[in-house]
Amino acid sequence: MTSLEPVDDPSTLPYRFVVDQVRTPNDPTFVYPVDFEQDGNWESYQLQVGRHVTGELTSVLLYDCLFCGNVIAQHNFDNALFEHPSSTEADFDLDGNVDIAATYVLRDTVWLTVISQNSTALDPLYICHGTDSHRIDGLWDGKSTLVGSLDITGDQCPEIFVAVDTGYDLYPRKLVCVDWRAKQILWDFDVPANIPARLFSTIRNGSPDSALIVFSTFAKGNGAEANGMSDLRSYVIALNADGSERWRRSAGGLYTSAQSNVIDYDGDGHEEILFVAHADTATAEGRSAFNRGIRSSFVICNLAGKTLDSIPIPSRHEVRQLQLYPRGFGDGAVLTYILNDDTLRFVDQALNPLAKVSHPDGVALLSFGDFISSGSRQVILRLASSNLFLVDSQFTVLAQSDKPMDGAQVIPFPGSQSDKRSRVLISSNNKDNNFNIVFRMVRTPWYTIFSRKPWLASLLAFTPPALALVFVAVIMVQRKRKNDIIERQRDELSLALSELKDAQEKLVAAEKMQQARDIAGGVAHEIHNALYPAMASLDLLKRKLKKQSPRDDESLHELIDLSESAVVRANGMTELVREFTRLDADRTDDTIVLKDVINEIIRSLAQRVDETDTMINATIPAALCIRCRTEHAFILFNNLITNALDAVEGTLQRQINITATMTEDDAQIDVSDTGTGIPAADHDRIFNAFHSTKPSTGTGLGLTLARRIATVYGGSLQLVHSAENGTTFRVTLPMATDHQARDDDDH
């Protein structure tokens, strides 16, 4: 985890946030860059966030460049209330130019209007109205936001989706689909709670009339009801293009949010739907129960609403601000979310963890982009009520704003082709800190050394100009010399690392070759020894058969048994060698339940356990899963448990204990016995191939093979303890990651 820490002096960082243009209006506003004529020259419009104050004008202003340019049009709305986001841009009238669609509230009525680049404001379209049911201030407390647009009629003109929400007035709360070209409402769908714009998605799914509209609601707890739903619960809802409900999923109880997003979970190029499902909590406990944390999971379902996968979220954390970015640090999409432990987490669409960053005050992600024209992408972050940060993919701080940006939102603003300086638009409508600023990201120049070290500036002021030039030249020469030294050291280090890597690869290859030679020689020796009695016995058997003596029947059977035993041992030896040599090729990172493997081994050894009157105690969490092929895990633990049975045989107290614990990333399994222990002289050799402490029955490959299996899967096998009162071996193996493991309490 990376901890984000501010610096005392931002000028010491490689880049700076340089103010290009700034506007601090009296009233809260948002400024949006827009290319009206789609010619690469960017204009802008300003949306004033209005208030319900009688006689007060709110406005939409159109500028010929950014907000510091000339106003080309102004549209006033008396006593109108604009929320954010209340606007979107598209060619709604099909004239080849971009238009602005805006929704607003006039007292108790919701309206929608479209403003074109030539300053024309088309007649407002009535959406709906409400009433002041709670009778506190005489005003309906509703609001409207534009959540998206999509062509669902096939006329090439996008329809507009407006979400209407209320507070204590409760109704109406709905999603409205507007065909602006036809000047009519196609349909509306009543919901019990508000629909956040970032949690609204549209899926084309082939032809326009096959489109799917997916959104989620927040459980506000006001007691509103609609379409058989209540705002005491959160939902994921999918609608058809005609506004009919295709399916819905309940996502949790009071104060929960489903946080739905459309992703490509399995990488097959087709969309799936991701949302957060929460376990139910008692409604009477209220927000305090939710703040304590509830069990929740990421749920992935197909477009028909069928669950494809469910991944538990660890440590009873609440997921906030789950959002998909089509392009993250690279070309692939990135999902980000914040947990209530104040960590910002990055995952890919398969929910594999990529990175996480934290700060005690919390971290918010504002935007991805190549803001410094480096060819790679960076991200702009903001600490709670604090500064902006530009960081790279390793979360190294590249730049930090000079002052706090409370409530700031980033709107990426691409510069024209002739302007190589990347710019970003920062807006805030915080009533105490209202601003709109365009920043340029520029490299920190060398002469900022005088601001970082004021004593140099003072010295320069009292030094003759010639001496000052010499002084500056000396500083620059020293800096160049230091840079040359650093560059040379970097090259030497790179060369040394390359040589070290080559030497390491050669050493590994040599070790593998020597190991292969040792195994081959040992196998030849052991097979020769194993087959010699069989050959001798068979030779004697031939001679006895020639005599045809019935009295030799018993000895004949003994010779045959001896031959069979020798051949079986030789066959077992070759089987062990085959397993040893094919481990890398046969490796698969399966997710297996450790407890099932141990129980299967104990069942297979049940007869021997009963015959030796041995007690086996296994303490393993039911949900503990490891990454290993089932057959390999069986061989590894079967070797350890079989060795433990051999060790306790003939002792008074015959007991074997198998315990498993979980660390952050690994599973740790101890296999202990109450046997006579391993001689100290053998401690350093027990893992060597063909070294056995049981010469009469052992092959010397069991522990070698077991350690090899653990190593292949990124784990380890070691002797922890061995004395006269018993022996303990410890196996460490990687656990299945959060999105692979399944929390199954009933397993």
Side-chain angles (χ1 to χ4, degrees):
M1 179 185 296
T2 302
S3 179
L4 190 65
E5 295 296 339
V7 298
D8 295 331
D9 185 3
S11 66
T12 61
L13 297 173
Y15 292 87
R16 295 189 299 161
F17 285 90
V18 176
V19 175
D20 195 32
Q21 300 178 53
V22 63
R23 177 180 172 85
T24 307
N26 294 326
D27 296 317
T29 62
F30 276 106
V31 174
Y32 301 91
V34 60
D35 184 3
F36 284 116
E37 298 179 359
Q38 304 184 59
D39 56 1
N41 296 315
W42 289 82
E43 297 89 10
S44 65
Y45 67 94
Q46 175 182 316
L47 181 68
Q48 186 171 354
V49 182
R51 299 170 294 178
H52 275 312
V53 178
T54 303
E56 180 172 306
L57 290 178
T58 56
S59 304
V60 177
L61 302 176
L62 278 62
Y63 295 89
D64 60 358
C65 56
L66 286 181
F67 44 75
C68 290
N70 298 315
V71 176
I72 58 177
Q74 177 172 338
H75 300 276
N76 298 326
F77 301 88
D78 184 20
N79 194 28
L81 174 64
F82 284 100
E83 292 287 338
H84 176 76
S86 295
S87 64
T88 188
E89 306 91 43
D91 185 6
F92 294 106
D93 54 8
L94 300 180
D95 64 352
N97 295 322
V98 174
D99 308 303
I100 303 168
T103 180
Y104 55 92
V105 176
L106 284 175
R107 295 194 62 82
D108 61 354
T109 307
V110 178
W111 298 89
L112 176 69
T113 189
V114 172
I115 301 172
S116 63
Q117 184 265 351
N118 60 12
S119 78
T120 302
L122 303 181
D123 293 335
L125 180 65
Y126 167 83
I127 302 299
C128 66
H129 74 278
T131 57
D132 177 27
S133 61
H134 70 298
R135 303 185 184 281
I136 293 179
D137 54 9
L139 294 173
W140 176 58
D141 61 2
K143 61 181 181 180
S144 61
T145 57
L146 278 175
V147 292
S149 61
L150 179 70
D151 176 19
I152 61 174
T153 60
D155 62 355
Q156 308 303 314
C157 181
E159 278 65 51
I160 302 171
F161 296 95
V162 179
V164 180
D165 185 34
T166 62
Y168 292 106
D169 286 334
L170 299 185
Y171 303 102
R173 298 174 179 177
K174 61 175 63 181
L175 176 67
V176 182
C177 177
V178 180
D179 184 348
W180 180 257
R181 191 179 186 189
K183 302 294 189 299
Q184 66 177 351
I185 294 176
L186 296 183
W187 50 261
D188 58 25
F189 185 85
D190 291 327
V191 293
N194 66 311
I195 304 171
R198 66 180 181 84
L199 303 180
F200 178 91
S201 303
T202 55
I203 304 174
R204 295 188 181 277
N205 198 28
S207 60
D209 58 358
S210 299
L212 191 66
I213 297 98
V214 181
F215 57 90
S216 54
T217 64
F218 173 72
K220 299 171 66 171
N222 298 142
E225 296 181 350
N227 278 323
M229 297 177 287
S230 164
D231 74 346
L232 297 178
R233 301 195 63 80
S234 59
Y235 298 90
V236 181
I237 303 169
L239 304 181
N240 295 307
D242 61 1
S244 61
E245 181 179 318
R246 183 175 297 188
W247 54 266
R248 78 175 71 158
R249 296 284 297 272
S250 175
L254 193 59
Y255 302 122
T256 63
S257 174
Q259 306 276 326
S260 61
N261 277 261
V262 175
I263 64 172
D264 182 8
Y265 176 67
D266 50 14
D268 62 354
H270 297 91
E271 295 96 339
E272 286 83 32
I273 298 168
L274 167 70
F275 67 93
V276 180
H278 308 270
D280 286 338
T281 56
T283 302
E285 294 185 77
R287 183 74 192 184
S288 61
F290 188 79
N291 289 336
R292 291 197 301 270
I294 59 176
R295 296 171 61 86
S296 54
S297 301
F298 289 119
V299 176
I300 301 93
C301 63
N302 60 19
L303 300 187
K306 180 181 178 182
T307 297
L308 303 178
D309 207 350
S310 177
I311 301 168
I313 298 170
S315 305
R316 304 172 73 91
H317 282 310
E318 174 193 358
V319 174
R320 304 167 183 166
Q321 299 180 24
L322 177 64
Q323 189 163 353
L324 176 71
Y325 291 88
R327 287 190 63 199
F329 289 113
D331 292 331
V334 170
L335 279 161
T336 67
Y337 59 93
I338 299 174
L339 296 182
N340 53 358
D341 62 354
D342 295 322
T343 60
L344 172 63
R345 308 202 174 202
F346 297 75
V347 297
D348 61 19
Q349 292 192 89
L351 301 185
N352 295 305
L354 300 176
K356 53 185 176 181
V357 61
S358 68
H359 188 274
D361 294 335
V363 183
L365 188 150
L366 301 186
S367 182
F368 278 99
D370 183 8
F371 301 105
I372 58 176
S373 302
S374 65
S376 59
R377 292 169 67 79
Q378 306 86 42
V379 63
I380 294 180
L381 304 174
R382 176 176 58 82
L383 299 184
S385 301
S386 186
N387 305 64
L388 301 181
F389 295 86
L390 178 71
V391 300
D392 60 16
S393 60
Q394 303 303 315
F395 293 96
T396 301
V397 178
L398 302 178
Q400 175 182 316
S401 63
D402 294 326
K403 65 177 183 178
M405 295 285 174
D406 185 22
Q409 299 189 41
V410 172
I411 304 175
F413 183 84
S416 64
Q417 294 183 357
S418 61
D419 184 2
K420 300 299 183 183
R421 299 171 301 183
S422 295
R423 293 181 286 174
V424 61
L425 175 59
I426 311 291
S427 293
S428 172
N429 68 339
N430 188 303
K431 64 180 181 180
D432 298 322
N433 191 22
N434 182 35
F435 57 83
N436 295 281
I437 302 174
V438 173
F439 283 108
R440 287 185 294 114
M441 306 305 303
V442 300
R443 183 176 288 277
T444 303
W446 67 269
Y447 52 78
T448 57
I449 187 174
F450 296 110
S451 63
R452 299 195 299 271
K453 300 182 183 298
W455 63 270
L456 286 177
S458 301
L459 180 62
L460 188 62
F462 295 99
T463 304
L467 185 58
L469 290 175
V470 172
F471 186 73
V472 171
V474 170
I475 292 177
M476 295 184 67
V477 168
Q478 289 180 343
R479 173 170 291 186
K480 184 178 184 304
R481 185 178 301 163
K482 288 181 179 179
N483 290 339
D484 291 341
I485 293 173
I486 293 173
E487 188 70 25
R488 185 172 63 254
Q489 290 176 341
R490 184 184 294 116
D491 292 340
E492 291 173 354
L493 179 60
S494 177
L495 179 61
L497 289 175
S498 177
E499 292 174 352
L500 180 61
K501 183 178 180 181
D502 292 341
Q504 183 182 20
E505 291 175 352
K506 291 177 181 178
L507 180 60
V508 170
E511 288 178 351
K512 288 184 176 180
M513 180 62 71
Q514 185 60 44
Q515 190 178 50
R517 289 172 180 168
D518 292 343
I519 291 174
V523 168
H525 177 73
E526 288 295 322
I527 291 179
H528 175 76
N529 290 343
L531 293 180
Y532 180 81
M535 294 170 62
S537 299
L538 290 173
D539 183 68
L540 183 57
L541 180 60
K542 288 179 181 179
R543 285 187 273 115
K544 286 183 175 290
L545 287 173
K546 289 179 181 179
K547 297 179 180 181
Q548 298 291 326
S549 175
R551 292 173 298 180
D552 295 330
D553 285 351
E554 185 176 348
S555 62
L556 289 176
H557 285 293
E558 291 178 355
L559 291 173
I560 292 172
D561 293 341
L562 181 59
S563 300
E564 289 179 349
S565 176
V567 172
V568 166
R569 182 175 179 184
N571 184 62
M573 179 61 62
T574 57
E575 185 65 21
L576 279 176
V577 173
R578 187 191 72 82
E579 290 288 346
F580 192 92
T581 57
R582 288 185 55 83
L583 274 177
D584 290 308
D586 291 344
R587 169 184 171 169
T588 56
D589 286 342
D590 298 335
T591 298
I592 61 174
V593 181
L594 178 62
K595 190 170 185 177
D596 292 348
V597 175
I598 298 300
N599 287 340
E600 183 180 354
I601 293 172
I602 294 174
R603 285 194 298 270
S604 69
L605 297 172
Q607 182 176 353
R608 185 176 177 190
V609 171
D610 293 338
E611 291 174 353
T612 58
D613 194 24
T614 301
M615 179 180 293
I616 299 181
N617 300 317
T619 306
I620 301 170
L624 175 55
C625 297
I626 59 174
R627 289 192 290 105
C628 187
R629 183 171 178 169
T630 304
E631 293 82 356
H632 291 167
F634 188 97
I635 292 172
L636 192 161
F637 292 105
N638 185 61
N639 265 304
L640 295 178
I641 297 173
T642 302
N643 286 349
L645 283 172
D646 293 338
V648 300
E649 191 170 345
T651 62
L652 294 178
Q653 183 182 2
R654 293 178 290 279
Q655 185 172 326
I656 299 173
N657 296 317
I658 306 168
T659 59
T661 57
M662 295 182 285
T663 63
E664 184 175 356
D665 299 311
D666 298 318
Q668 185 174 286
I669 307 98
D670 288 350
V671 179
S672 305
D673 63 62
T674 57
T676 57
I678 299 172
D682 291 326
H683 286 186
D684 295 333
R685 298 183 296 168
I686 57 174
F687 295 105
N688 293 346
F690 305 109
H691 175 80
S692 176
T693 58
K694 302 173 288 184
S696 60
T697 59
T699 64
L701 276 180
L703 286 177
T704 305
L705 179 59
R707 171 175 272 191
R708 177 67 176 147
I709 290 173
T711 303
V712 164
Y713 287 93
S716 63
L717 168 61
Q718 56 184 334
L719 175 63
V720 177
H721 163 80
S722 185
E724 294 180 356
N725 60 344
T727 300
T728 300
F729 284 92
R730 177 167 295 164
V731 179
T732 302
L733 288 171
M735 288 194 299
T737 57
D738 290 345
H739 74 278
Q740 294 170 316
R742 299 295 178 266
D743 188 3
D744 187 359
D745 295 334
D746 299 327
H747 183 78

